[in-house]
Amino acid sequence: GIAEGDKLRQIEGSIFGKWEPTDKTYNLSEVTLLVPTHARQVFAMAGNYKSHLNDAEIPPKFQIPQPFLKPSSSLVRHEGKIILPQDATEEVHYEAEMVIVIGKRAQRVSRENALDYVLGVTCGNDVSERFWQNDEEHKDIQWWRAKGADTFGPCGPFIATGLNYDDLLLTLRLNGKVMQQERTSQMIHDVASQVSFISRYVTLLPGDLIFTGTSGKTAALHAGDVVEVELEGVGVLRNRVVAQK
């Protein structure tokens, strides 16, 4: 569907190919917005904002894009619940991110042509269990559960196209308080660079997602919290945090 104010207009066809609007509309308040795509692959960028790194200069390893994989099963819709695993520590953090939505098959594409393969962007939250991720004595070898546990990838609510993806305001609010706010112009590697780099080694498919990294400092989520990620021109992704039963 296509969002038109407080209405949703049904379309015929595929957003990854040919489609046409229909005369059928729904009230947005009466529909459930799912994760915007059925992503077969979900990438996420580590260390893509200087403000998120603790170094005055960009460390050598972050001078090239540093993507990692999140399982598609980590994705959760707008207004869905972020579930804290029973054995998680108190350090499960939010990470507000812009998410790239791939529009067509991309294999070894140049940086100059990379935006031709981008359908648009949406909001994301790369939820991260810091103990599993970073504790020097106990951390996992891979981030498979620290960033890939079920519901650790909120995403949505809409895909916006035709924006200047490299200069949008990204804001995170925790229980109504602004905790993160930075423009995507501060990314170390812009959208085209990320798409081109990943496609050099892994073929990107329509609907695949790239979480583009988080800015500044992050903090813990607790059961009962409401976390919102707002991306200029896209909308607000809202999720409630609950403890696993």
Side-chain angles (χ1 to χ4, degrees):
I2 304 295
E4 299 176 347
D6 61 356
K7 300 287 185 181
L8 189 69
R9 182 173 299 279
Q10 187 171 324
I11 65 170
E12 288 183 351
S14 169
I15 61 172
F16 302 109
K18 294 182 178 179
W19 59 267
E20 292 182 353
T22 69
D23 294 331
K24 191 161 189 175
T25 62
Y26 304 84
N27 293 323
L28 264 176
S29 60
E30 297 173 349
V31 302
T32 298
L33 297 174
L34 304 180
V35 175
T37 72
H38 292 289
R40 283 169 280 188
Q41 301 176 115
V42 181
F43 289 87
M45 294 288 294
N48 199 32
Y49 284 82
K50 190 174 177 181
S51 63
H52 190 61
L53 304 172
N54 294 321
D55 304 86
E57 300 296 328
I58 300 170
K61 66 181 178 181
F62 292 116
Q63 291 176 9
I64 63 169
Q66 292 291 348
F68 59 92
L69 282 162
K70 289 172 71 79
S72 58
S73 54
S74 69
L75 298 175
V76 65
R77 65 177 177 84
H78 168 64
E79 297 290 6
K81 295 175 181 177
I82 298 171
I83 300 173
L84 304 177
Q86 287 181 341
D87 57 342
T89 68
E90 291 293 307
E91 297 300 324
V92 178
H93 287 210
Y94 55 76
E95 290 192 7
E97 310 206 3
M98 177 177 71
V99 180
I100 300 165
V101 181
I102 298 299
K104 58 184 179 180
R105 186 177 185 272
Q107 184 180 45
R108 294 189 295 274
V109 302
S110 67
R111 183 182 178 280
E112 291 71 27
N113 295 328
L115 291 182
D116 294 339
Y117 297 82
V118 174
L119 175 65
V121 294
T122 189
C123 308
N125 189 347
D126 180 25
V127 179
S128 306
E129 211 284 11
R130 297 300 192 208
F131 181 80
W132 298 338
Q133 181 188 2
N134 294 325
D135 181 81
E136 285 303 319
E137 185 176 353
H138 299 99
K139 70 180 179 181
D140 295 338
I141 294 173
Q142 298 288 336
W143 291 351
W144 70 279
R145 61 172 176 162
K147 288 175 170 285
D150 288 350
T151 75
F152 275 23
C155 185
F158 308 109
I159 301 170
T161 65
L163 305 176
N164 179 2
Y165 309 130
D166 293 316
D167 191 17
L168 301 175
L169 183 64
L170 179 64
T171 303
L172 183 138
R173 292 183 292 272
L174 183 63
N175 301 321
K177 181 180 178 181
V178 173
M179 305 296 287
Q180 290 180 288
Q181 190 167 68
E182 196 155 337
R183 300 195 72 83
T184 58
S185 56
Q186 298 305 302
M187 291 190 296
I188 296 170
H189 304 286
D190 62 15
V191 168
S193 297
Q194 294 173 57
V195 172
S196 176
F197 182 83
I198 293 172
S199 78
R200 201 183 306 172
Y201 307 99
V202 177
T203 300
L204 294 166
L205 302 170
D208 284 352
L209 303 173
I210 304 172
F211 284 63
T212 59
T214 200
S215 67
K217 304 303 180 185
T218 66
L221 296 167
H222 300 96
D225 285 346
V226 175
V227 58
E228 297 175 308
V229 177
E230 182 171 4
L231 182 61
E232 182 182 1
V234 177
V236 178
L237 169 67
R238 183 182 303 103
N239 300 94
R240 182 173 294 278
V241 183
V242 300
Q244 186 179 54
K245 295 181 180 178

